[in-house]
Amino acid sequence: MDFTDTSLVAVDNKVSAEEQPLPEALRSMSLVMRVLCFLALGCPNLHDHWKSLESDRAFETVRTRMCHILGNTITTASLLAISSVFVIIVFPASYFGYTPSVPYYLLFTSLMFAMFAMLISGSSMIRWLHTDRHWTQEQLKQGGYLVWSYLLSIVAPMFFIFWSLNCFIFAMSIAGFSSQSEICRAVTALGLVAYVVNVGKISIEAMYRYRSGLEHAECRQ
């Protein structure tokens, strides 16, 4: 009986020792930092993410999710890069208007952004696979540049994917609208409208989630 009580006390002490409050350097955040947190972690603050660093199981869940996101980013960037190369080299179809050089510049820019996304995603995935929660806690405790680099390593690949996709869409739109075929111009217009509608829908949902996250954080405080 005494041995059981002693074991329970030891476990409780261990848990309480691991449960550390949010460091002061991570409490006051600027608007840009809140947006970065939302884009990287899905929450406009670091409270929930800091809690995930208090146990190995929660940290493993976060690491698995981040590696999954980065893996999907690498796949998307690869598809964009292959599509850009394919359109530039293999598929200069006659019914597309490639007379202006702008589509080619945009396709090369899309390829460049896709390569950047793959490189950053790959390096970030390697870091997540080899890091541990104690090291991550020590890095975040210091705040400042280390927190910025921590968040940007997650957000930067998404940023490059976003611009790579937009450059590809704009290149194909310009080529489509420059075509002599009315069918090609009509299909291009429909595709562009669908793209704008989807981007607007995603933006509205993101703004709603961001506002809900801020309200939830204020209620907890």
Side-chain angles (χ1 to χ4, degrees), residues 9-39:
V9 171
V11 171
D12 291 338
N13 290 335
K14 182 179 180 181
V15 173
S16 61
E18 291 181 350
E19 292 179 353
Q20 303 177 13
L22 187 69
E24 190 66 30
L26 304 180
R27 294 183 181 180
S28 58
M29 303 175 64
S30 62
L31 177 61
V32 178
M33 182 71 75
R34 289 181 182 274
V35 173
L36 280 179
C37 285
F38 176 75
L39 294 176

PDB file of all heavy atoms in Angstrom, residues 9-39:
ATOM      1  N   VAL A   9       2.510   9.227  -6.140  1.00  0.00           N
ATOM      2  CA  VAL A   9       3.066  10.551  -5.873  1.00  0.00           C
ATOM      3  C   VAL A   9       4.194  10.867  -6.838  1.00  0.00           C
ATOM      4  O   VAL A   9       4.322  11.987  -7.347  1.00  0.00           O
ATOM      5  CB  VAL A   9       3.553  10.635  -4.409  1.00  0.00           C
ATOM      6  CG1 VAL A   9       4.332  11.921  -4.190  1.00  0.00           C
ATOM      7  CG2 VAL A   9       2.374  10.558  -3.455  1.00  0.00           C
ATOM      8  N   ALA A  10       5.020   9.862  -7.123  1.00  0.00           N
ATOM      9  CA  ALA A  10       6.129  10.073  -8.054  1.00  0.00           C
ATOM     10  C   ALA A  10       5.622  10.394  -9.450  1.00  0.00           C
ATOM     11  O   ALA A  10       6.155  11.266 -10.141  1.00  0.00           O
ATOM     12  CB  ALA A  10       7.025   8.831  -8.088  1.00  0.00           C
ATOM     13  N   VAL A  11       4.560   9.685  -9.867  1.00  0.00           N
ATOM     14  CA  VAL A  11       3.992   9.948 -11.192  1.00  0.00           C
ATOM     15  C   VAL A  11       3.395  11.339 -11.252  1.00  0.00           C
ATOM     16  O   VAL A  11       3.567  12.084 -12.220  1.00  0.00           O
ATOM     17  CB  VAL A  11       2.934   8.874 -11.540  1.00  0.00           C
ATOM     18  CG1 VAL A  11       2.193   9.261 -12.815  1.00  0.00           C
ATOM     19  CG2 VAL A  11       3.597   7.520 -11.708  1.00  0.00           C
ATOM     20  N   ASP A  12       2.673  11.728 -10.189  1.00  0.00           N
ATOM     21  CA  ASP A  12       2.069  13.057 -10.160  1.00  0.00           C
ATOM     22  C   ASP A  12       3.129  14.145 -10.194  1.00  0.00           C
ATOM     23  O   ASP A  12       2.975  15.174 -10.863  1.00  0.00           O
ATOM     24  CB  ASP A  12       1.198  13.216  -8.912  1.00  0.00           C
ATOM     25  CG  ASP A  12      -0.046  12.344  -8.979  1.00  0.00           C
ATOM     26  OD1 ASP A  12      -0.444  11.970 -10.105  1.00  0.00           O
ATOM     27  OD2 ASP A  12      -0.614  12.053  -7.908  1.00  0.00           O
ATOM     28  N   ASN A  13       4.212  13.930  -9.460  1.00  0.00           N
ATOM     29  CA  ASN A  13       5.288  14.916  -9.466  1.00  0.00           C
ATOM     30  C   ASN A  13       5.934  15.023 -10.837  1.00  0.00           C
ATOM     31  O   ASN A  13       6.290  16.108 -11.293  1.00  0.00           O
ATOM     32  CB  ASN A  13       6.348  14.536  -8.425  1.00  0.00           C
ATOM     33  CG  ASN A  13       5.834  14.709  -6.999  1.00  0.00           C
ATOM     34  OD1 ASN A  13       4.919  15.502  -6.766  1.00  0.00           O
ATOM     35  ND2 ASN A  13       6.411  13.975  -6.064  1.00  0.00           N
ATOM     36  N   LYS A  14       6.062  13.886 -11.501  1.00  0.00           N
ATOM     37  CA  LYS A  14       6.660  13.896 -12.837  1.00  0.00           C
ATOM     38  C   LYS A  14       5.782  14.644 -13.819  1.00  0.00           C
ATOM     39  O   LYS A  14       6.242  15.448 -14.627  1.00  0.00           O
ATOM     40  CB  LYS A  14       6.887  12.462 -13.315  1.00  0.00           C
ATOM     41  CG  LYS A  14       7.552  12.383 -14.680  1.00  0.00           C
ATOM     42  CD  LYS A  14       7.771  10.938 -15.086  1.00  0.00           C
ATOM     43  CE  LYS A  14       8.428  10.858 -16.457  1.00  0.00           C
ATOM     44  NZ  LYS A  14       8.636   9.454 -16.879  1.00  0.00           N
ATOM     45  N   VAL A  15       4.461  14.397 -13.743  1.00  0.00           N
ATOM     46  CA  VAL A  15       3.537  15.069 -14.656  1.00  0.00           C
ATOM     47  C   VAL A  15       3.515  16.564 -14.404  1.00  0.00           C
ATOM     48  O   VAL A  15       3.556  17.387 -15.319  1.00  0.00           O
ATOM     49  CB  VAL A  15       2.122  14.465 -14.521  1.00  0.00           C
ATOM     50  CG1 VAL A  15       1.120  15.276 -15.327  1.00  0.00           C
ATOM     51  CG2 VAL A  15       2.124  13.018 -14.985  1.00  0.00           C
ATOM     52  N   SER A  16       3.461  16.950 -13.110  1.00  0.00           N
ATOM     53  CA  SER A  16       3.415  18.373 -12.792  1.00  0.00           C
ATOM     54  C   SER A  16       4.704  19.070 -13.168  1.00  0.00           C
ATOM     55  O   SER A  16       4.717  20.252 -13.510  1.00  0.00           O
ATOM     56  CB  SER A  16       3.135  18.563 -11.299  1.00  0.00           C
ATOM     57  OG  SER A  16       4.167  17.961 -10.523  1.00  0.00           O
ATOM     58  N   ALA A  17       5.811  18.327 -13.106  1.00  0.00           N
ATOM     59  CA  ALA A  17       7.087  18.927 -13.495  1.00  0.00           C
ATOM     60  C   ALA A  17       7.142  19.178 -14.989  1.00  0.00           C
ATOM     61  O   ALA A  17       7.756  20.132 -15.459  1.00  0.00           O
ATOM     62  CB  ALA A  17       8.238  18.017 -13.074  1.00  0.00           C
ATOM     63  N   GLU A  18       6.475  18.300 -15.758  1.00  0.00           N
ATOM     64  CA  GLU A  18       6.498  18.467 -17.203  1.00  0.00           C
ATOM     65  C   GLU A  18       5.522  19.540 -17.665  1.00  0.00           C
ATOM     66  O   GLU A  18       5.689  20.123 -18.721  1.00  0.00           O
ATOM     67  CB  GLU A  18       6.171  17.137 -17.882  1.00  0.00           C
ATOM     68  CG  GLU A  18       7.271  16.093 -17.720  1.00  0.00           C
ATOM     69  CD  GLU A  18       6.919  14.803 -18.437  1.00  0.00           C
ATOM     70  OE1 GLU A  18       5.756  14.691 -18.882  1.00  0.00           O
ATOM     71  OE2 GLU A  18       7.781  13.921 -18.543  1.00  0.00           O
ATOM     72  N   GLU A  19       4.463  19.792 -16.903  1.00  0.00           N
ATOM     73  CA  GLU A  19       3.469  20.783 -17.285  1.00  0.00           C
ATOM     74  C   GLU A  19       3.995  22.176 -16.953  1.00  0.00           C
ATOM     75  O   GLU A  19       3.891  22.648 -15.825  1.00  0.00           O
ATOM     76  CB  GLU A  19       2.149  20.510 -16.562  1.00  0.00           C
ATOM     77  CG  GLU A  19       1.464  19.225 -17.011  1.00  0.00           C
ATOM     78  CD  GLU A  19       0.177  18.986 -16.266  1.00  0.00           C
ATOM     79  OE1 GLU A  19      -0.096  19.762 -15.310  1.00  0.00           O
ATOM     80  OE2 GLU A  19      -0.551  18.050 -16.612  1.00  0.00           O
ATOM     81  N   GLN A  20       4.545  22.817 -17.928  1.00  0.00           N
ATOM     82  CA  GLN A  20       5.132  24.127 -17.735  1.00  0.00           C
ATOM     83  C   GLN A  20       4.208  25.188 -18.332  1.00  0.00           C
ATOM     84  O   GLN A  20       3.606  24.973 -19.381  1.00  0.00           O
ATOM     85  CB  GLN A  20       6.505  24.193 -18.410  1.00  0.00           C
ATOM     86  CG  GLN A  20       7.473  23.122 -17.928  1.00  0.00           C
ATOM     87  CD  GLN A  20       8.785  23.170 -18.673  1.00  0.00           C
ATOM     88  OE1 GLN A  20       9.074  24.126 -19.377  1.00  0.00           O
ATOM     89  NE2 GLN A  20       9.582  22.131 -18.517  1.00  0.00           N
ATOM     90  N   PRO A  21       4.086  26.324 -17.667  1.00  0.00           N
ATOM     91  CA  PRO A  21       3.240  27.393 -18.220  1.00  0.00           C
ATOM     92  C   PRO A  21       3.863  27.984 -19.478  1.00  0.00           C
ATOM     93  O   PRO A  21       5.059  27.825 -19.739  1.00  0.00           O
ATOM     94  CB  PRO A  21       3.199  28.417 -17.081  1.00  0.00           C
ATOM     95  CG  PRO A  21       4.458  28.176 -16.310  1.00  0.00           C
ATOM     96  CD  PRO A  21       4.712  26.697 -16.391  1.00  0.00           C
ATOM     97  N   LEU A  22       3.026  28.660 -20.246  1.00  0.00           N
ATOM     98  CA  LEU A  22       3.509  29.288 -21.469  1.00  0.00           C
ATOM     99  C   LEU A  22       4.536  30.362 -21.127  1.00  0.00           C
ATOM    100  O   LEU A  22       4.270  31.233 -20.298  1.00  0.00           O
ATOM    101  CB  LEU A  22       2.340  29.905 -22.234  1.00  0.00           C
ATOM    102  CG  LEU A  22       2.658  30.469 -23.623  1.00  0.00           C
ATOM    103  CD1 LEU A  22       2.989  29.345 -24.591  1.00  0.00           C
ATOM    104  CD2 LEU A  22       1.473  31.278 -24.143  1.00  0.00           C
ATOM    105  N   PRO A  23       5.713  30.310 -21.732  1.00  0.00           N
ATOM    106  CA  PRO A  23       6.746  31.315 -21.419  1.00  0.00           C
ATOM    107  C   PRO A  23       6.275  32.730 -21.739  1.00  0.00           C
ATOM    108  O   PRO A  23       5.430  32.949 -22.608  1.00  0.00           O
ATOM    109  CB  PRO A  23       7.915  30.897 -22.322  1.00  0.00           C
ATOM    110  CG  PRO A  23       7.685  29.461 -22.615  1.00  0.00           C
ATOM    111  CD  PRO A  23       6.202  29.279 -22.652  1.00  0.00           C
ATOM    112  N   GLU A  24       6.833  33.671 -21.022  1.00  0.00           N
ATOM    113  CA  GLU A  24       6.443  35.072 -21.198  1.00  0.00           C
ATOM    114  C   GLU A  24       6.741  35.560 -22.609  1.00  0.00           C
ATOM    115  O   GLU A  24       6.008  36.391 -23.158  1.00  0.00           O
ATOM    116  CB  GLU A  24       7.189  35.932 -20.173  1.00  0.00           C
ATOM    117  CG  GLU A  24       6.694  37.364 -20.093  1.00  0.00           C
ATOM    118  CD  GLU A  24       5.277  37.467 -19.568  1.00  0.00           C
ATOM    119  OE1 GLU A  24       4.877  36.597 -18.771  1.00  0.00           O
ATOM    120  OE2 GLU A  24       4.572  38.422 -19.956  1.00  0.00           O
ATOM    121  N   ALA A  25       7.813  35.041 -23.212  1.00  0.00           N
ATOM    122  CA  ALA A  25       8.192  35.482 -24.559  1.00  0.00           C
ATOM    123  C   ALA A  25       7.178  35.072 -25.612  1.00  0.00           C
ATOM    124  O   ALA A  25       7.158  35.636 -26.710  1.00  0.00           O
ATOM    125  CB  ALA A  25       9.567  34.917 -24.922  1.00  0.00           C
ATOM    126  N   LEU A  26       6.317  34.096 -25.293  1.00  0.00           N
ATOM    127  CA  LEU A  26       5.343  33.606 -26.265  1.00  0.00           C
ATOM    128  C   LEU A  26       3.931  34.118 -26.003  1.00  0.00           C
ATOM    129  O   LEU A  26       3.013  33.771 -26.743  1.00  0.00           O
ATOM    130  CB  LEU A  26       5.328  32.069 -26.251  1.00  0.00           C
ATOM    131  CG  LEU A  26       6.658  31.373 -26.509  1.00  0.00           C
ATOM    132  CD1 LEU A  26       6.483  29.869 -26.453  1.00  0.00           C
ATOM    133  CD2 LEU A  26       7.240  31.795 -27.847  1.00  0.00           C
ATOM    134  N   ARG A  27       3.753  34.925 -24.978  1.00  0.00           N
ATOM    135  CA  ARG A  27       2.402  35.381 -24.642  1.00  0.00           C
ATOM    136  C   ARG A  27       1.989  36.616 -25.433  1.00  0.00           C
ATOM    137  O   ARG A  27       0.888  36.670 -25.968  1.00  0.00           O
ATOM    138  CB  ARG A  27       2.318  35.668 -23.141  1.00  0.00           C
ATOM    139  CG  ARG A  27       2.466  34.418 -22.288  1.00  0.00           C
ATOM    140  CD  ARG A  27       2.311  34.715 -20.816  1.00  0.00           C
ATOM    141  NE  ARG A  27       2.478  33.513 -20.010  1.00  0.00           N
ATOM    142  CZ  ARG A  27       2.395  33.479 -18.689  1.00  0.00           C
ATOM    143  NH1 ARG A  27       2.139  34.603 -18.017  1.00  0.00           N
ATOM    144  NH2 ARG A  27       2.569  32.338 -18.038  1.00  0.00           N
ATOM    145  N   SER A  28       2.839  37.596 -25.493  1.00  0.00           N
ATOM    146  CA  SER A  28       2.525  38.810 -26.250  1.00  0.00           C
ATOM    147  C   SER A  28       2.989  38.626 -27.688  1.00  0.00           C
ATOM    148  O   SER A  28       4.177  38.460 -27.956  1.00  0.00           O
ATOM    149  CB  SER A  28       3.214  40.022 -25.621  1.00  0.00           C
ATOM    150  OG  SER A  28       4.614  39.833 -25.579  1.00  0.00           O
ATOM    151  N   MET A  29       2.040  38.637 -28.610  1.00  0.00           N
ATOM    152  CA  MET A  29       2.338  38.362 -30.010  1.00  0.00           C
ATOM    153  C   MET A  29       1.767  39.473 -30.884  1.00  0.00           C
ATOM    154  O   MET A  29       0.671  39.984 -30.626  1.00  0.00           O
ATOM    155  CB  MET A  29       1.753  37.008 -30.433  1.00  0.00           C
ATOM    156  CG  MET A  29       2.235  35.833 -29.595  1.00  0.00           C
ATOM    157  SD  MET A  29       1.403  34.295 -30.031  1.00  0.00           S
ATOM    158  CE  MET A  29       1.976  34.093 -31.708  1.00  0.00           C
ATOM    159  N   SER A  30       2.508  39.813 -31.908  1.00  0.00           N
ATOM    160  CA  SER A  30       2.046  40.815 -32.860  1.00  0.00           C
ATOM    161  C   SER A  30       1.021  40.199 -33.810  1.00  0.00           C
ATOM    162  O   SER A  30       0.809  38.977 -33.825  1.00  0.00           O
ATOM    163  CB  SER A  30       3.227  41.370 -33.657  1.00  0.00           C
ATOM    164  OG  SER A  30       3.841  40.338 -34.414  1.00  0.00           O
ATOM    165  N   LEU A  31       0.403  41.049 -34.613  1.00  0.00           N
ATOM    166  CA  LEU A  31      -0.598  40.568 -35.564  1.00  0.00           C
ATOM    167  C   LEU A  31       0.024  39.624 -36.588  1.00  0.00           C
ATOM    168  O   LEU A  31      -0.559  38.587 -36.929  1.00  0.00           O
ATOM    169  CB  LEU A  31      -1.255  41.763 -36.267  1.00  0.00           C
ATOM    170  CG  LEU A  31      -2.278  41.423 -37.356  1.00  0.00           C
ATOM    171  CD1 LEU A  31      -3.443  40.639 -36.774  1.00  0.00           C
ATOM    172  CD2 LEU A  31      -2.772  42.691 -38.039  1.00  0.00           C
ATOM    173  N   VAL A  32       1.213  39.977 -37.063  1.00  0.00           N
ATOM    174  CA  VAL A  32       1.883  39.120 -38.051  1.00  0.00           C
ATOM    175  C   VAL A  32       2.205  37.757 -37.453  1.00  0.00           C
ATOM    176  O   VAL A  32       2.031  36.712 -38.101  1.00  0.00           O
ATOM    177  CB  VAL A  32       3.163  39.810 -38.565  1.00  0.00           C
ATOM    178  CG1 VAL A  32       3.887  38.910 -39.559  1.00  0.00           C
ATOM    179  CG2 VAL A  32       2.824  41.143 -39.216  1.00  0.00           C
ATOM    180  N   MET A  33       2.648  37.754 -36.200  1.00  0.00           N
ATOM    181  CA  MET A  33       2.958  36.492 -35.537  1.00  0.00           C
ATOM    182  C   MET A  33       1.702  35.646 -35.342  1.00  0.00           C
ATOM    183  O   MET A  33       1.734  34.416 -35.501  1.00  0.00           O
ATOM    184  CB  MET A  33       3.616  36.768 -34.190  1.00  0.00           C
ATOM    185  CG  MET A  33       4.018  35.514 -33.429  1.00  0.00           C
ATOM    186  SD  MET A  33       5.420  34.661 -34.164  1.00  0.00           S
ATOM    187  CE  MET A  33       6.755  35.742 -33.656  1.00  0.00           C
ATOM    188  N   ARG A  34       0.595  36.297 -35.025  1.00  0.00           N
ATOM    189  CA  ARG A  34      -0.665  35.558 -34.868  1.00  0.00           C
ATOM    190  C   ARG A  34      -1.101  34.926 -36.191  1.00  0.00           C
ATOM    191  O   ARG A  34      -1.575  33.785 -36.218  1.00  0.00           O
ATOM    192  CB  ARG A  34      -1.757  36.485 -34.339  1.00  0.00           C
ATOM    193  CG  ARG A  34      -1.577  36.909 -32.893  1.00  0.00           C
ATOM    194  CD  ARG A  34      -2.720  37.800 -32.436  1.00  0.00           C
ATOM    195  NE  ARG A  34      -2.546  38.243 -31.074  1.00  0.00           N
ATOM    196  CZ  ARG A  34      -2.924  37.553 -30.001  1.00  0.00           C
ATOM    197  NH1 ARG A  34      -3.509  36.378 -30.168  1.00  0.00           N
ATOM    198  NH2 ARG A  34      -2.730  38.024 -28.792  1.00  0.00           N
ATOM    199  N   VAL A  35      -0.940  35.672 -37.267  1.00  0.00           N
ATOM    200  CA  VAL A  35      -1.299  35.127 -38.579  1.00  0.00           C
ATOM    201  C   VAL A  35      -0.398  33.950 -38.934  1.00  0.00           C
ATOM    202  O   VAL A  35      -0.858  32.921 -39.454  1.00  0.00           O
ATOM    203  CB  VAL A  35      -1.223  36.230 -39.649  1.00  0.00           C
ATOM    204  CG1 VAL A  35      -1.435  35.644 -41.039  1.00  0.00           C
ATOM    205  CG2 VAL A  35      -2.263  37.313 -39.380  1.00  0.00           C
ATOM    206  N   LEU A  36       0.889  34.078 -38.652  1.00  0.00           N
ATOM    207  CA  LEU A  36       1.814  32.972 -38.911  1.00  0.00           C
ATOM    208  C   LEU A  36       1.446  31.737 -38.084  1.00  0.00           C
ATOM    209  O   LEU A  36       1.484  30.610 -38.587  1.00  0.00           O
ATOM    210  CB  LEU A  36       3.243  33.402 -38.601  1.00  0.00           C
ATOM    211  CG  LEU A  36       3.970  34.236 -39.653  1.00  0.00           C
ATOM    212  CD1 LEU A  36       5.366  34.592 -39.171  1.00  0.00           C
ATOM    213  CD2 LEU A  36       4.054  33.496 -40.979  1.00  0.00           C
ATOM    214  N   CYS A  37       1.099  31.961 -36.821  1.00  0.00           N
ATOM    215  CA  CYS A  37       0.678  30.841 -35.976  1.00  0.00           C
ATOM    216  C   CYS A  37      -0.561  30.162 -36.540  1.00  0.00           C
ATOM    217  O   CYS A  37      -0.667  28.928 -36.547  1.00  0.00           O
ATOM    218  CB  CYS A  37       0.406  31.331 -34.555  1.00  0.00           C
ATOM    219  SG  CYS A  37       1.874  31.678 -33.584  1.00  0.00           S
ATOM    220  N   PHE A  38      -1.495  30.971 -37.015  1.00  0.00           N
ATOM    221  CA  PHE A  38      -2.723  30.399 -37.566  1.00  0.00           C
ATOM    222  C   PHE A  38      -2.431  29.590 -38.825  1.00  0.00           C
ATOM    223  O   PHE A  38      -2.965  28.485 -39.007  1.00  0.00           O
ATOM    224  CB  PHE A  38      -3.713  31.519 -37.871  1.00  0.00           C
ATOM    225  CG  PHE A  38      -4.976  31.038 -38.525  1.00  0.00           C
ATOM    226  CD1 PHE A  38      -5.940  30.375 -37.787  1.00  0.00           C
ATOM    227  CD2 PHE A  38      -5.196  31.239 -39.879  1.00  0.00           C
ATOM    228  CE1 PHE A  38      -7.105  29.919 -38.388  1.00  0.00           C
ATOM    229  CE2 PHE A  38      -6.352  30.791 -40.482  1.00  0.00           C
ATOM    230  CZ  PHE A  38      -7.310  30.129 -39.740  1.00  0.00           C
ATOM    231  N   LEU A  39      -1.589  30.121 -39.699  1.00  0.00           N
ATOM    232  CA  LEU A  39      -1.271  29.412 -40.932  1.00  0.00           C
ATOM    233  C   LEU A  39      -0.463  28.143 -40.667  1.00  0.00           C
ATOM    234  O   LEU A  39      -0.637  27.130 -41.353  1.00  0.00           O
ATOM    235  CB  LEU A  39      -0.489  30.333 -41.876  1.00  0.00           C
ATOM    236  CG  LEU A  39      -1.249  31.543 -42.425  1.00  0.00           C
ATOM    237  CD1 LEU A  39      -0.319  32.409 -43.257  1.00  0.00           C
ATOM    238  CD2 LEU A  39      -2.455  31.109 -43.248  1.00  0.00           C
TER     239      LEU A  39
END
